[in-house]
Amino acid sequence: MTRLRLLGTIALGSVGGMASSAPVARPPATFGACAFTTVKAVEQRLEDGATGRPVPNSGSQVELADGVMGVSYDQVPAIAGSRRGDHAMVCLVDIPRHCPRSDGRGRWYTTTNLRTLESWTLPDAEHQCGGA
């Protein structure tokens, strides 16, 4: 059994009885910490300023119910296959160093959709801390 499938099996057993109205977990705050959450929104990275419509093929963006964001300049198939309300497990896998205290951007999270058992690893912003 692959590690991902094993992880999904363990996680599904943990959330199998979770109701859709379950309290939203806090995002993981320390390196290696994980939390169960749900997918809040699956979007394109950019939207047209004039129309408010998504810009096709501008990259992927996902928002989780616990506040974690994931953004990529590429189209991420695992995100595209996700749906609002899907249960997910999110783990904090990298925290940038030497950042200004007021700039929390640049954390990397690995998220596994527990319905599809597909994962992605993305930063929470398009730029690292101290960047544009």
Side-chain angles (χ1 to χ4, degrees):
M1 183 177 276
T2 65
R3 281 185 6 187
L4 177 59
R5 186 163 303 280
L6 178 60
L7 172 65
T9 301
I10 292 167
L12 283 172
S14 299
V15 299
M18 189 179 346
S20 60
S21 62
V24 175
R26 297 170 77 108
T30 58
F31 176 80
C34 298
F36 291 106
T37 187
T38 58
V39 174
K40 182 175 179 182
V42 174
E43 304 167 330
Q44 293 293 302
R45 183 179 67 87
L46 299 176
E47 68 177 38
D48 184 306
T51 65
R53 293 190 176 171
V55 175
N57 301 314
S58 62
S60 294
Q61 181 169 297
V62 63
E63 182 180 359
L64 305 177
D66 63 4
V68 170
M69 297 287 292
V71 63
S72 175
Y73 284 87
D74 297 320
Q75 294 298 125
V76 179
I79 293 175
S82 295
R83 299 189 295 232
R84 181 184 172 131
D86 282 351
H87 290 284
M89 185 172 68
V90 60
C91 300
L92 180 57
V93 297
D94 188 48
I95 301 172
R97 299 178 192 267
H98 311 295
C99 295
R101 277 195 182 271
S102 62
D103 192 350
R105 295 177 298 170
R107 291 174 178 243
W108 283 74
Y109 296 89
T110 295
T111 304
T112 301
N113 181 315
L114 300 178
R115 178 182 58 83
T116 65
L117 297 181
E118 292 184 311
S119 298
W120 57 88
T121 300
L122 292 175
D124 60 1
E126 295 171 303
H127 302 282
Q128 293 291 323
C129 63

